[in-house]
Amino acid sequence: MRVLAAMSGGVDSAVAAARAVDAGHDVVGVHLALSRAGGTLRAGSRGCCTIEDAMDARRAADRLGIPFYVWDFSERFRDDVIEDFVSEYRAGRTPNPCMRCNEKIKFAALLERALELGFDAVCTGHYALLVDGPDGRELHRASDAAKDQSYVLGVLTAEQLAHTYFPLGSTPSKAEVRAEAAERGLTVAQKPDSHDICFIPDGDTRGWLADKVGAETGEIVDRTGAVVGRHEGAHAFTVGQRRGLQLGVPAPDGKPRFVLEVRPVDNRVVVGPKEALATAEIAGGRFTWAGRAPSDRSFACEAQIRAHADPVPARAELTDDEIVVIPEVPFDGVAPGQTAVIYDGTRVIGQFTIDRTVSAVPVGA
């Protein structure tokens, strides 16, 4: 195949490109410049897509003997990922920018350009498996459960999966990838993994959002609507948060309170007992299928609501305009805006953005 290897400057994408070369494919490396004002140096394992990362990617490509380019996707990244992140927080939702980046940048904008240039597939260093099933290509969990990234790839469609290549999916462990990189003479062999939100490299999400969204004081209320405190910006709170609430009125039972809802329309934050975080139902209207769509409108599945959460056995119900998922055991602390990925065993069925939730604990219970 003619393969376009997306090279972030990290060890995973470098080894993935190397394996593509070893497999006999015609490989070209590309690094995506996602910020026109990117930092020149990483802050340890924080941030990515810096000038340092581009240089690391180029050195890896040179070592592999493949052509290498840097493509400017900063405008598309700003519009589709950063602005989406800000607008979701303005609406009181909790978005996952990695999902949007995979959906809109790596497997939409990048893949579109790759196909236009005559490439057969885009290769990345994600840990996930692709299986050619009876109804087309399927997306499955990686062999290494600790590194599995099928959740953040749940946004991929059947057409995108048909032109995707994940050489690391069957690798037993990340340690093996680092050892292989060292054997190949790749300088990124011991480079730290990036974490947190790449466009907020200092990790201060609250301060970054305050600058973008603005901080407006408002009320913190309990589930009955009684005012128990004040806040300096609803954007700074997330469902499940316990620390930093600074409540002026203690709970009747003396137990800690947790954030249950963020309501941007009236600029209120709702708090309550930990038990009220239990969620009996989630639903959303924005859903896609990773391959063949389910043939039944009601089916058993497993649902995962965070990248590192355990999957929960559930039943999915399809209506004309949304998908509803009812777990066998309540989810814990679900926020609108999160992505729910549904599985059949190791296979990703599809995903949806959570628009609404139903608490397992009624008000007053």
Side-chain angles (χ1 to χ4, degrees):
M1 296 189 297
R2 291 197 68 212
V3 172
L4 185 68
M7 304 182 71
S8 66
V11 62
D12 293 327
S13 60
V15 171
R19 291 186 180 182
V21 172
D22 287 353
H25 300 304
D26 178 10
V27 182
V28 173
V30 63
H31 178 81
L32 303 184
L34 301 180
S35 172
R36 293 185 178 178
T40 57
L41 296 174
R42 291 159 56 96
S45 59
R46 293 186 183 275
C48 68
C49 315
T50 62
I51 294 174
E52 179 186 345
D53 292 313
M55 293 172 62
D56 285 341
R58 180 176 293 279
R59 280 191 288 267
D62 288 345
R63 180 70 179 175
L64 299 176
I66 61 175
F68 177 82
Y69 301 91
V70 175
W71 288 354
D72 182 1
F73 276 31
S74 58
E75 187 173 338
R76 182 81 178 258
F77 185 78
R78 181 198 64 205
D79 293 343
D80 290 341
V81 179
I82 299 178
E83 291 303 322
D84 174 81
F85 184 80
V86 172
S87 64
E88 286 289 278
Y89 263 97
R90 281 200 182 105
R93 295 188 288 266
T94 302
N96 185 323
C98 293
M99 303 290 285
R100 296 289 80 77
C101 186
N102 283 334
E103 178 186 18
K104 301 292 187 179
I105 306 300
K106 294 175 183 174
F107 298 98
L110 178 61
L111 182 56
E112 288 168 9
R113 184 176 294 184
L115 294 177
E116 289 173 356
L117 293 173
F119 288 93
D120 300 300
V122 165
C123 165
T124 73
H126 286 99
Y127 288 79
L129 286 170
L130 293 170
V131 176
D132 290 324
D135 298 306
R137 183 163 285 186
E138 299 172 352
L139 176 64
H140 286 254
R141 293 189 184 277
S143 298
D144 180 4
K147 290 297 295 180
D148 173 56
Q149 293 176 297
S150 60
Y151 173 85
V152 295
L153 297 167
V155 291
L156 302 189
T157 64
E159 176 64 22
Q160 291 168 333
L161 290 174
H163 298 285
T164 299
Y165 183 28
F166 299 137
L168 303 188
S170 60
T171 306
S173 71
K174 178 62 175 276
E176 183 173 314
V177 171
R178 291 195 180 279
E180 181 178 332
E183 290 174 2
R184 292 178 180 274
L186 298 171
T187 59
V188 293
Q190 297 305 319
K191 186 175 180 178
D193 292 338
S194 61
H195 64 80
D196 293 332
I197 300 171
C198 68
F199 50 87
I200 311 177
D202 63 1
D204 183 14
T205 303
R206 178 178 295 192
W208 189 89
L209 282 168
D211 181 61
K212 299 291 183 181
V213 178
E216 182 181 351
T217 59
E219 296 174 337
I220 301 177
V221 300
D222 65 17
R223 300 182 83 194
T224 69
V227 178
V228 295
R230 295 192 65 80
H231 65 77
E232 297 183 354
H235 66 273
F237 296 85
T238 57
V239 171
Q241 179 178 334
R242 173 187 172 185
R243 299 184 184 279
L245 301 185
Q246 298 180 338
L247 304 178
V249 180
D253 59 5
K255 294 182 179 180
R257 288 190 177 103
F258 296 77
V259 174
L260 304 180
E261 293 181 70
V262 178
R263 298 176 178 172
V265 174
D266 57 9
N267 195 29
R268 282 185 163 187
V269 174
V270 182
V271 297
K274 181 176 178 58
E275 296 76 19
L277 288 170
T279 303
E281 181 181 304
I282 58 177
R286 295 170 288 174
F287 54 87
T288 60
W289 306 117
R292 175 180 54 83
S295 55
D296 297 326
R297 296 180 71 84
S298 176
F299 55 92
C301 64
E302 290 184 322
Q304 186 171 330
I305 58 171
R306 297 182 186 87
H308 302 293
D310 292 328
V312 176
R315 175 153 292 275
E317 307 281 349
L318 287 172
T319 68
D320 291 339
D321 55 4
E322 71 174 2
I323 180 172
V324 178
V325 171
I326 302 169
E328 291 183 6
V329 178
F331 297 116
D332 181 37
V334 184
Q338 286 179 223
T339 299
V341 176
I342 53 178
Y343 291 80
D344 177 10
T346 63
R347 182 196 164 208
V348 175
I349 302 174
Q351 63 82 37
F352 65 95
T353 301
I354 300 169
D355 295 326
R356 62 179 180 85
T357 64
V358 177
S359 176
V361 181
V363 176

